């Protein structure tokens, strides 16, 4: 019980050990220290034996073993060095130059072993020495002496069962590796008489392979089945995977496939993976019926919805496809292919599926095209249907290449002169390419084929126009500037002109002009065709629009031609206006004013007054949108003096609209005044403020920012109190992006530094733990503030994140306890190290508390609480599998003490967190584990957190 006393002593003094942690060794350092330790101990024992002047054969045999151990150590060391050099320099490093020390020591040890045999030829250790010489030869020198030494070891091991058994096992392995199956079988049959060796299962496996090579399939299968079954026993080495891999081949080679199915069902729970491998092997050897039998079994066991076997299920379907292709079963092949779109393939499996189907459909295309008769237009419709279905399957399996597969479908239709079907597939290919481009750019080929199909199909006039329009627009959308496009623009225009579609005529002409500016003569001819049609149909609105375009220089028509067009339009308009005047109804006044306003030949002042009078009528009708529209139209025709006369009236209208709480239209009038009288800056200051406040009243932030940007130049000043008002509105109404943009653009960081830092920090905590991107954004703004509170938060957060990572890493590094031969002292050492690390974490938390940021301190308390609670749970879970009731009782008691101490520590941390919140009256946004009532809240509290309800913004000071 000495080790238990040591355990208790260390556990009771764990607090002292906290402060004296040891550095964890790397793998390289551990290996180096281990090597040095073993080497030192071995050398010490050698030195001790060498002090004996007259050595007995037993001591000399032990010295031989130690020398062999030294060889092993240097082989291990030089091998590590060799692998490191190989990794760095590659093939430049030669093996023969890397193990010089090993070979030298081997020769010395070998010579010493032989000298013992020479000096004591009848020593009882003779067999053991020969066996050691054999192992040394095998492992260190490759000098081909292993066989002779093993035979000698067997020869002289009479009465030494263990040496005889080990030597025969090594000899069997030697023959096995040399492919001397007959000799290996003989030795294994002797070795296998010993079933008390853990390697018995592996020996059975090797024995089975030797029997297979000797064409003894039944015995080979028996041996591997026994090896597989014994591997389930913890006593024996587990070689089940190797045994089953061999058995699958053995069953097929021995024509015992049914036996294999039964064995897998009985001993491997009918593992589908093994059955699939068996089916693949059977199929490869031509056993179709047996393969189908296994396939039927797998159909009932493999389900696509089973997540654990998703990849295996996909392999199964791919195998079936190969199977039915191999044995020429087209209907079954199609059935399996139709399943592919619903199968969840890995990337490699998907590529394999695409390749398999492509091979099949490619072969069918060749047959279809070869058998097609151009004279009788006859072809195999079943093959065509299959090809189309296969391409649809490919599109569903490999969606990214849908455009390519649709093109291949179209080409297939085209090859048998099914032009309508081909046209639809070509168009589908184009549409698919627009959504997801395929590796090959097939647009040119598709469109060339589309034009060809249109020519070959007997369409009606309307259908042909629709198809041509589609083809023209697609071509121009892809290649608007090439030589073919130059010819397509006039054709597209003519297509629209044939049905008097003026909007599309204009659109197509504008595109033509934008890409071919030098074709002006041709473009003018096309525009005149549109004017002639509009005049003929008396489309005055459109005609006026076209004349306005000409007046503005569209296509550089001469003044004479523009004037001629204006005269024609005026004659048409006057005829319509005279008809309206004859009616003489007051309610038609607005229509009359509008008619006058849009008549080109009235003086500008008359047009302006007509529009302004319409505005006043709409104002009386409380139609503010139309009123503003006509006020704006009128000002386009007024001179400055006429505009000034209207200002007082417009300001009164704006004020009245605002008093009626119609803020939207009030703002529009404010902005109209600012725009119209921009030069009168001092008068405009109040109007500028009113426009912004009216926008804010509706919470139209975009409009507010546009008003500032557009009309700031029209105001004498932009008052600071107005800027603060805007800033406060943006914060209180949660427009944080606009808030920060506004602060930056108007340089308010320093003017309102406290407010800005406060706003930003509150926004940061509102997003904390909810949106990483928003957290980063708020931190960025806080850094830009350079305010003392912002700096404090940033520094505290950095320290907290470092602390949190350490805590998370600590939580994962639990003490590992060996399931076999556990050493309590190792556990004590590891647990002590872990407790030291925990104390170190606690110390690093104190540095964060000293920064003095309340919210971050609470977060740290959360982490400390979680750390202590989790460690308390962790300690109670430890169990050392030692069959000693007294030990287990004391061990559990000590673990419970540590656990209770950790729970007390967690409670203490919670109290500290609560005292901090209460003492400084903190408004906490984030608090979890350190909450005194966390356990209760986790299962019962459904209220909104008090911190979320205690928002005081907007209540004033």
């Amino acid at each position: 019980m000495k080790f238990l006393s040591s355990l208790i002593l260390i556990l009771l003094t764990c607090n002292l050990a906290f402060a004296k942690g040891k550095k964890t060794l790397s793998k390289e350092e551990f290996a180096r220290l281990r090597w040095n330790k073993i080497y030192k101990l071995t050398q010490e024992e050698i030195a001790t034996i060498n002090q004996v002047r007259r050595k007995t054969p037993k001591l000399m045999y032990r010295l031989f073993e130690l020398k062999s151990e030294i060889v092993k150590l240097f082989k291990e060391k030089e091998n590590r060095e060799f692998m490191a050099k190989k990794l760095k320099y590659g093939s430049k490093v030669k093996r023969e130059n890397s193990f010089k020390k090993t070979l030298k020591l081997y020769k010395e040890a070998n010579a010493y072993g032989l000298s013992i045999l020479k000096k004591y030829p009848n020593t009882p250790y003779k067999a053991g020495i020969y066996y050691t010489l054999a192992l040394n030869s095998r492992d260190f020198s490759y000098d081909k002496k292993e066989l002779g030494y093993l035979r000698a070891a067997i020869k002289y091991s009479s009465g030494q069962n263990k040496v005889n058994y080990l030597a025969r096992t090594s000899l069997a392995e030697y023959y096995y590796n040399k492919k001397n199956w007959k000799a290996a079988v003989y030795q294994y049959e002797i070795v296998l008489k010993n079933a008390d060796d853990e390697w018995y299962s592996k020996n059975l496996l090797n024995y089975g392979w030797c029997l297979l090579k000797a064409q003894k399939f039944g015995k080979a299968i028996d041996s591997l089945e026994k090896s597989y079954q014994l591997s389930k026993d913890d006593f024996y080495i587990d070689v089940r995977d190797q045994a089953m891999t061999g058995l699958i081949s053995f069953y097929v080679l021995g024509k015992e496939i049914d036996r294999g199915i039964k064995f897998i069902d009985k001993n491997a729970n009918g593992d589908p993976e093994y059955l699939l491998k068996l089916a693949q092997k059977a199929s490869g050897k031509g056993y179709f019926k047996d393969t189908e039998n296994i396939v039927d079994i797998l159909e009932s066991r493999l389900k696509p919805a089973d997540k654990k076997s998703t990849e295996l299920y996909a392999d199964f379907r791919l195998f079936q496809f190969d199977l039915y292709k191999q044995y020429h079963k087209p209907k079954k092949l199609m059935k399996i292919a139709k399943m592919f779109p619903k199968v969840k393939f890995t990337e490699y499996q998907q590529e394999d599926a695409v390749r398999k189907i492509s091979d099949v459909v490619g072969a069918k295309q060749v047959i279809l095209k070869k058998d097609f008769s151009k004279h009788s237009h006859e072809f195999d419709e079943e093959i065509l249907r299959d090809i189309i279905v296969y391409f649809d399957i490919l599109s569903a399996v490999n969606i990214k290449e849908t455009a390519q597969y649709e093109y291949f479908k179209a080409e297939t239709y085209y090859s048998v002169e099914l032009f309508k079907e081909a046209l639809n597939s070509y168009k589908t290919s184009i549409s698919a390419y627009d959504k997801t481009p395929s590796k090959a750019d097939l647009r040119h080929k598709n469109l060339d084929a589309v034009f060809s199909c249109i020519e070959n199909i007997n369409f009606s006039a309307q259908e042909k126009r629709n198809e041509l329009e589609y083809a023209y627009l697609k071509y121009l959308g892809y290649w608007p500037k090439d030589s073919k496009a130059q010819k397509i623009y006039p054709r597209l225009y003519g297509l629209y002109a044939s049905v008097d579609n003026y909007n599309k005529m204009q659109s197509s002409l504008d595109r033509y002009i934008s890409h071919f500016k030098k074709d002006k003569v041709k473009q003018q001819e096309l525009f005149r065709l549109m004017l002639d049609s509009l005049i003929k149909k008396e489309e005055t609105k459109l005609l006026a629009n076209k004349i306005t375009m000409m007046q503005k220089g569209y296509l550089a028509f001469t003044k004479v031609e523009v004037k001629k067009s204006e005269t024609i339009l005026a004659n048409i308009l006057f005829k319509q206006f005279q008809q309206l005047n004859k009616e003489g109804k007051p309610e038609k006044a607005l229509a009359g004013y509008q008619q006058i306003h849009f008549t080109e030949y009235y003086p500008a002042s008359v047009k302006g007054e007509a529009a302004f009078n319409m505005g006043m009528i709409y104002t009386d009708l409380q139609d503010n949108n139309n009123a503003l529209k006509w006020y704006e139209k009128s000002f386009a025709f007024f001179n400055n003096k006429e505009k000034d006369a209207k200002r007082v009236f417009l300001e009164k209208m704006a004020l009245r609209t605002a008093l009626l709480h119609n803020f939207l239209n009030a703002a529009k009038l404010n902005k109209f005044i600012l725009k119209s009288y921009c030069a009168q800056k001092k008068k405009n200051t109040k109007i500028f403020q009113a426009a912004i406040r009216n926008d804010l009243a509706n919470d139209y932030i975009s409009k507010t920012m546009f008003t500032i940007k557009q009309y700031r130049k029209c105001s004498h000043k932009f008052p600071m109190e107005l800027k603060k008002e805007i800033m406060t509105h943006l914060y209180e109404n949660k427009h944080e992006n606009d808030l920060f943009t506004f602060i930056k653009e108007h340089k308010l960081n320093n003017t309102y530094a406290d407010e800005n830092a406060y706003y930003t920090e509150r926004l940061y905590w509102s997003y904390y733990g909810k949106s990483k991107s928003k957290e980063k954004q708020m931190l960025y703004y806080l850094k830009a503030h350079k305010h003392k509170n912002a700096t404090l938060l940033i520094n505290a957060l950095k320290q907290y994140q470092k602390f949190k990572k350490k805590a998370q890493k600590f939580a994962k590094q639990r003490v590992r306890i060996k399931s076999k031969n556990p050493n309590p002292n190792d556990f004590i050492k590891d647990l002590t190290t872990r407790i030291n690390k925990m104390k170190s974490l606690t110390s690093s938390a104190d540095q964060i508390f000293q920064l003095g940021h309340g919210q971050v301190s609470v977060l740290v308390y959360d982490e400390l609480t979680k750390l202590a609670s989790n460690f308390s749970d962790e300690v109670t879970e430890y169990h050392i599998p030692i069959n000693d009731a007294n030990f287990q009782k004391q061990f559990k008691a000590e673990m419970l003490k540590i656990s209770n101490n950790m729970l007390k520590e967690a409670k203490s941390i919670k109290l500290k967190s609560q005292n901090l919140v209460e003492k400084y009256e903190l408004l906490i946004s984030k608090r979890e584990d350190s909450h005194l009532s966390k356990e209760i809240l986790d299962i019962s509290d459904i209220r909104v957190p008090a911190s979320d309800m205690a928002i005081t913004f907007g209540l004033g000071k």
Side-chain angles (χ1 to χ4, degrees):
M1 302 301 290
K2 184 178 180 180
F3 62 92
L4 182 59
S5 300
S6 300
L7 172 64
I8 295 169
L9 179 63
I10 289 181
L11 291 174
L12 290 174
T13 58
C14 62
N15 288 334
L16 178 63
F18 257 142
K20 300 180 180 179
K22 293 184 178 179
K23 181 182 177 182
T24 303
L25 296 174
S26 66
K27 288 183 179 181
E28 293 76 11
E29 290 174 325
F30 178 78
R32 179 174 54 79
L33 290 173
R34 170 188 164 278
W35 191 95
N36 289 336
K37 187 68 175 177
I38 295 173
Y39 181 74
K40 182 180 178 182
L41 291 172
T42 306
Q43 290 286 26
E44 287 175 354
E45 188 174 353
I46 290 172
T48 302
I49 294 173
N50 283 332
Q51 288 177 359
V52 179
R53 292 184 178 181
R54 294 185 178 181
K55 298 180 182 67
T56 64
K58 182 178 181 179
L59 277 179
M60 293 181 74
Y61 178 43
R62 176 57 184 161
L63 189 57
F64 176 46
E65 288 182 325
L66 292 171
K67 287 178 178 290
S68 298
E69 182 64 26
I70 294 292
V71 181
K72 181 180 177 182
L73 284 172
F74 275 92
K75 174 71 178 290
E76 178 185 316
K77 180 179 181 181
E78 290 186 323
N79 190 58
R80 281 201 304 270
E81 294 170 353
F82 171 71
M83 295 304 295
K85 291 178 181 178
K86 195 78 174 174
L87 188 64
K88 186 174 182 180
Y89 301 108
S91 59
K92 294 180 180 179
V93 182
K94 303 300 180 183
R95 174 176 287 275
E96 55 268 22
N97 298 327
S98 300
F99 294 91
K100 292 181 179 179
K101 182 70 173 179
T102 301
L103 290 172
K104 180 182 178 183
L105 291 171
Y106 162 74
K107 290 176 182 179
E108 292 175 1
N110 194 48
Y112 186 76
L114 292 171
S115 70
I116 299 173
L117 293 172
K118 186 175 181 180
K119 186 174 182 179
Y120 300 103
N122 297 318
T123 177
Y125 303 105
K126 190 172 186 177
I129 292 170
Y130 273 118
Y131 181 63
T132 304
L133 286 168
L135 295 183
N136 288 351
S137 175
R138 182 192 68 187
D139 296 337
F140 307 132
S141 75
Y142 316 107
D143 56 5
K144 299 182 180 180
K145 295 181 180 180
E146 177 187 358
L147 179 59
Y149 290 145
L150 286 173
R151 286 174 173 170
I154 294 169
K155 178 180 178 180
Y156 297 113
S157 61
S158 177
Q160 299 179 35
N161 293 336
K162 184 174 181 180
V163 176
N164 184 274
Y165 173 73
L166 292 173
R168 285 191 181 277
T169 303
S170 296
L171 184 59
E173 290 176 354
Y174 174 85
Y175 285 134
Y176 177 83
N177 292 328
K178 295 295 182 179
K179 301 183 180 180
N180 187 343
W181 313 116
K182 185 176 181 180
V185 167
Y186 174 78
Q187 293 299 331
Y188 273 123
E189 285 176 348
I190 297 173
V191 167
L192 289 172
K193 292 178 182 178
N194 179 14
D196 294 330
D197 183 14
E198 63 178 355
W199 289 96
Y200 184 61
S201 56
K202 182 68 166 61
N203 292 335
L204 281 169
L205 178 70
N206 292 343
Y207 178 57
W209 276 103
C210 294
L211 290 170
L212 178 77
K213 298 297 183 179
Q215 302 293 309
K216 297 179 180 179
F217 298 112
K219 285 187 176 181
I221 293 172
D222 291 340
S223 183
L224 261 68
E225 284 183 345
K226 186 176 181 181
S227 173
Y228 184 91
Q229 291 165 333
L230 287 176
S231 291
K232 296 178 181 179
D233 189 333
D234 290 340
F235 175 75
Y236 295 109
I237 299 299
D238 190 350
V239 292
R240 277 178 286 183
D241 285 343
Q242 298 159 275
M244 185 59 76
T245 300
L247 278 169
I248 287 168
S249 296
F250 288 17
Y251 288 134
V252 175
L253 292 171
K255 299 180 182 179
E256 300 240 15
I257 296 172
D258 287 340
R259 177 179 176 180
I261 295 170
K262 291 175 183 177
F263 183 83
I264 292 170
D265 282 343
K266 182 179 179 180
N267 295 278
N269 299 318
D271 190 332
E273 186 174 357
Y274 291 145
L275 288 174
L276 179 56
K277 289 179 179 179
L278 185 62
Q280 290 168 333
K281 203 74 177 180
S283 170
K285 291 296 181 180
Y287 303 140
F288 178 70
K289 288 186 178 179
D290 292 310
T291 305
E292 274 216 315
N293 181 32
I294 301 171
V295 166
D296 290 340
I297 296 170
L298 287 170
E299 283 284 6
S300 64
R301 296 183 184 178
L302 280 174
K303 304 298 180 185
D306 187 355
K307 293 181 180 179
K308 294 182 179 178
S309 59
T310 300
E311 188 171 346
L312 183 63
Y313 177 80
D315 281 337
F316 172 55
R317 293 305 181 197
L318 290 170
F319 164 70
Q320 282 183 287
F321 192 90
D322 285 337
L323 175 69
Y324 297 133
K325 179 184 175 185
Q326 178 186 352
Y327 292 98
H328 308 291
K329 307 289 182 183
K331 290 184 179 179
K332 290 185 176 182
L333 187 69
M334 176 63 77
K335 181 181 177 182
I336 297 302
K338 287 180 177 179
M339 296 179 182
F340 280 10
K342 294 183 179 180
V343 177
K344 293 182 180 179
F345 290 121
T346 63
E347 184 177 350
Y348 172 78
Q349 289 172 330
Q350 184 192 56
E351 291 176 1
D352 194 29
V354 169
R355 179 185 56 77
K356 292 179 189 299
I357 299 175
S358 298
D359 289 344
V360 172
V361 75
K364 286 182 176 291
Q365 280 182 304
V366 171
I367 296 171
L368 180 71
K369 189 173 182 180
K370 183 178 179 182
D371 294 344
F372 174 66
S373 172
K374 290 188 176 181
H375 299 290
S376 61
H377 296 279
E378 293 179 354
F379 56 87
D380 191 326
E381 293 184 3
E382 185 177 353
I383 291 179
L384 176 63
R385 283 196 300 272
D386 285 351
I387 290 171
I388 300 308
V389 171
Y390 276 126
F391 277 128
D392 287 339
I393 293 169
L394 282 169
S395 294
V397 172
N398 189 16
I399 297 173
K400 292 181 180 179
E401 289 299 315
T402 299
Q404 181 178 212
Y405 300 133
E406 285 295 332
Y407 173 75
F408 292 151
K409 274 174 60 176
E411 289 287 279
T412 305
Y413 283 130
Y414 197 96
S415 69
V416 292
E417 298 186 0
L418 293 176
F419 298 115
K420 280 192 176 181
E421 291 84 351
L423 177 61
N424 290 333
S425 287
Y426 285 127
K427 290 167 70 175
T428 303
S429 176
I430 293 170
S431 176
Y433 186 90
D434 289 342
K435 293 177 183 177
T436 307
S438 57
K439 290 181 180 179
D441 188 348
L442 302 169
R443 292 176 296 172
H444 263 300
K445 291 182 178 180
N446 271 316
L447 282 171
D448 287 345
V450 166
F451 284 121
S452 179
C453 288
I454 293 171
E455 291 301 317
N456 282 294
I457 299 171
N458 188 22
F459 281 126
S460 67
Q462 180 60 46
E463 287 173 334
K464 190 168 185 177
R465 277 196 299 271
N466 291 340
E467 297 298 339
L468 284 172
E469 179 186 12
Y470 167 84
Y472 289 153
L473 288 175
K474 278 294 178 185
Y475 193 96
L476 296 176
Y478 294 141
W479 309 285
K481 296 181 179 181
D482 71 4
S483 58
K484 190 172 181 178
Q486 191 174 13
K487 297 175 182 178
I488 288 177
Y489 285 114
R491 293 177 187 175
L492 181 62
Y493 186 90
L495 203 66
Y496 294 140
S498 67
V499 290
D500 294 328
N501 192 326
Y502 300 115
N503 287 336
K504 289 187 175 180
M505 288 169 70
Q506 186 63 58
S507 176
S508 63
L509 182 57
D510 288 341
R511 291 179 67 184
Y512 183 21
I513 293 168
S514 67
H515 295 298
F516 296 95
K517 299 185 183 299
K518 295 181 180 180
D519 289 2
K520 192 154 292 182
V521 173
K522 179 66 177 178
Q523 292 157 0
Q524 285 179 336
E525 289 177 6
L526 297 176
F527 191 75
R528 290 188 190 101
L529 286 174
M530 182 160 42
L531 290 178
D532 291 343
S533 178
L534 290 171
I535 292 169
K536 183 178 180 181
K537 294 180 178 294
E538 293 191 357
E539 293 281 354
T540 56
K541 187 175 181 180
L542 270 175
L543 183 58
N545 176 266
K546 306 307 172 188
I547 293 171
T548 301
M549 291 170 62
M550 295 169 70
Q551 289 172 334
K552 293 179 179 179
Y554 187 75
L555 285 175
F557 284 101
T558 64
K559 290 183 179 180
V560 173
E561 193 167 0
V562 175
K563 188 65 177 177
K564 182 181 177 180
S565 300
E566 290 173 354
T567 303
I568 294 170
L569 175 61
N571 289 333
I572 297 171
L573 287 174
F574 278 132
K575 182 176 68 171
Q576 294 175 348
F577 179 69
Q578 287 169 1
Q579 183 62 36
L580 289 171
N581 268 343
K582 288 178 183 179
E583 296 178 3
K585 296 179 181 179
E587 63 269 16
K588 298 294 183 178
L590 285 171
Y593 279 126
Q594 187 172 354
Q595 184 72 26
I596 294 169
H597 177 75
F598 281 116
T599 301
E600 286 293 328
Y601 300 104
Y602 284 121
S605 60
V606 174
K607 292 180 182 180
E609 286 296 339
F612 195 83
N613 288 338
M614 289 177 69
M616 289 191 291
I617 292 172
Y618 279 121
T619 299
D620 290 336
L621 294 173
Q622 296 187 8
D623 187 347
N624 293 305
N625 283 330
N626 275 316
L628 181 61
K629 180 178 74 175
W630 287 105
Y631 290 143
E632 288 178 341
K633 287 181 179 293
S634 70
F635 271 50
F637 299 93
F638 287 147
N639 58 37
N640 290 335
K641 186 176 179 180
E642 290 167 334
K643 288 180 183 179
D644 287 344
K646 309 294 184 183
R647 175 164 183 147
V648 174
F649 175 81
L650 290 171
E651 287 183 356
K652 289 180 179 179
M653 289 300 100
L655 178 59
R656 187 181 79 167
T657 306
L659 291 173
L660 291 171
H661 285 195
N662 189 345
F663 301 115
L664 177 62
N665 287 303
K668 289 180 179 178
L669 279 168
N670 293 143
K671 294 168 193 176
F672 175 68
I673 294 169
L674 289 169
K675 180 174 69 175
S676 302
Y677 304 100
C678 190
Q680 300 174 7
K681 296 183 184 293
K682 288 187 178 181
K683 288 185 178 181
N684 289 342
T685 300
K686 289 184 178 180
I687 302 299
F688 178 66
Q689 289 178 288
I692 292 173
R693 285 172 177 151
N694 284 327
D695 282 338
L696 288 176
N698 285 315
D699 198 30
Y700 292 159
I701 305 306
S702 296
K703 287 181 181 290
T704 302
M705 299 307 169
F706 179 80
T707 300
I708 295 169
K709 182 178 180 181
Q710 190 73 10
Y711 300 109
R712 171 65 184 88
K713 61 186 177 184
C714 301
S715 176
H716 177 63
K717 61 180 179 178
F718 189 174
M720 288 301 295
E721 61 271 18
L722 181 59
K723 292 179 181 177
K724 185 176 182 182
E725 187 178 333
I726 295 169
M727 188 175 70
T728 302
H729 179 93
L730 292 174
Y731 171 70
E732 291 179 349
N733 290 276
K734 300 182 179 179
H735 301 295
E736 59 263 24
N737 289 335
D738 295 302
L739 171 65
F740 295 120
T741 302
F742 183 77
I743 291 169
K744 182 179 179 181
E745 288 182 354
H746 296 277
K747 301 178 181 178
L748 300 177
N749 264 328
N750 295 328
T751 308
Y752 299 109
D754 292 342
E755 289 86 348
N756 291 335
Y758 176 74
Y759 292 161
T760 310
E761 183 167 351
R762 294 312 304 165
L763 286 169
Y764 171 79
W765 289 116
S766 71
Y767 288 118
Y768 186 81
K770 300 174 184 176
S771 172
K772 286 288 184 184
S773 60
K774 286 290 185 181
E775 283 184 41
K776 290 180 180 178
Q777 184 183 12
M778 294 306 119
L779 280 176
Y780 173 78
Y781 290 139
L782 281 167
K783 290 176 182 177
H785 284 319
K786 296 182 180 179
H787 189 272
K788 61 180 181 179
N789 293 343
T791 302
L792 172 61
L793 173 62
I794 291 165
N795 290 339
L797 280 172
K798 284 182 180 178
Q799 295 297 322
Y800 167 68
Q801 291 299 335
K802 290 180 181 178
F803 171 77
K804 187 176 180 181
K805 286 182 181 178
K806 291 179 180 179
Q808 290 173 343
K809 183 177 179 182
F810 173 83
K812 297 176 181 178
Q813 297 172 339
R814 299 180 63 159
V815 176
R816 298 183 181 274
I817 302 173
K818 294 181 180 179
S819 58
K820 292 184 178 180
N821 301 322
N823 188 337
N825 293 324
D826 289 344
F827 172 75
I828 295 165
K829 179 181 177 182
D830 293 341
L831 184 61
T832 301
T833 300
R834 186 152 176 74
I835 294 172
N836 287 340
K837 289 182 180 178
M838 185 171 175
K839 268 223 163 184
S840 176
L841 278 172
T842 306
S843 299
S844 63
D846 292 337
Q847 298 174 6
I848 303 175
F849 295 144
Q850 290 173 8
L851 294 175
H853 193 285
Q855 175 64 78
V856 176
S857 295
V858 170
L859 292 177
V860 174
Y861 280 128
D862 274 357
E863 289 298 326
L864 288 173
T865 304
K866 189 193 303 181
L867 198 65
S869 299
N870 290 345
F871 192 73
S872 172
D873 294 339
E874 175 188 331
V875 170
T876 59
E877 292 172 2
Y878 286 131
H879 172 71
I880 298 179
I882 294 176
N883 190 15
D884 186 329
N886 189 30
F887 168 79
Q888 293 295 346
K889 182 177 179 181
Q890 293 183 52
F891 180 81
K892 186 173 181 181
E894 292 306 319
M895 293 299 104
L896 187 61
K897 286 180 184 179
I898 296 175
S899 175
N900 289 336
N901 286 337
M902 289 299 106
L903 289 176
K904 289 178 182 178
E905 181 65 18
K907 186 174 181 180
S908 173
I909 293 168
K910 288 183 179 181
L911 288 172
K912 290 178 182 178
S913 176
Q914 185 64 26
N915 290 337
L916 177 69
V917 173
E918 292 177 359
K919 181 178 180 180
Y920 296 101
E921 298 180 351
L922 299 179
L923 186 62
I924 298 303
S925 299
K926 181 76 174 177
R927 186 182 182 197
E928 294 179 357
D929 294 87
S930 67
H931 199 291
L932 287 175
S933 302
K934 180 183 186 300
E935 293 80 3
I936 298 173
L937 291 174
D938 282 346
I939 60 173
S940 64
D941 192 5
I942 58 173
R943 299 172 300 164
V944 177
S947 59
D948 289 352
M949 299 297 292
I951 304 301
T952 59
F953 306 137
L955 297 182
K957 295 183 178 180

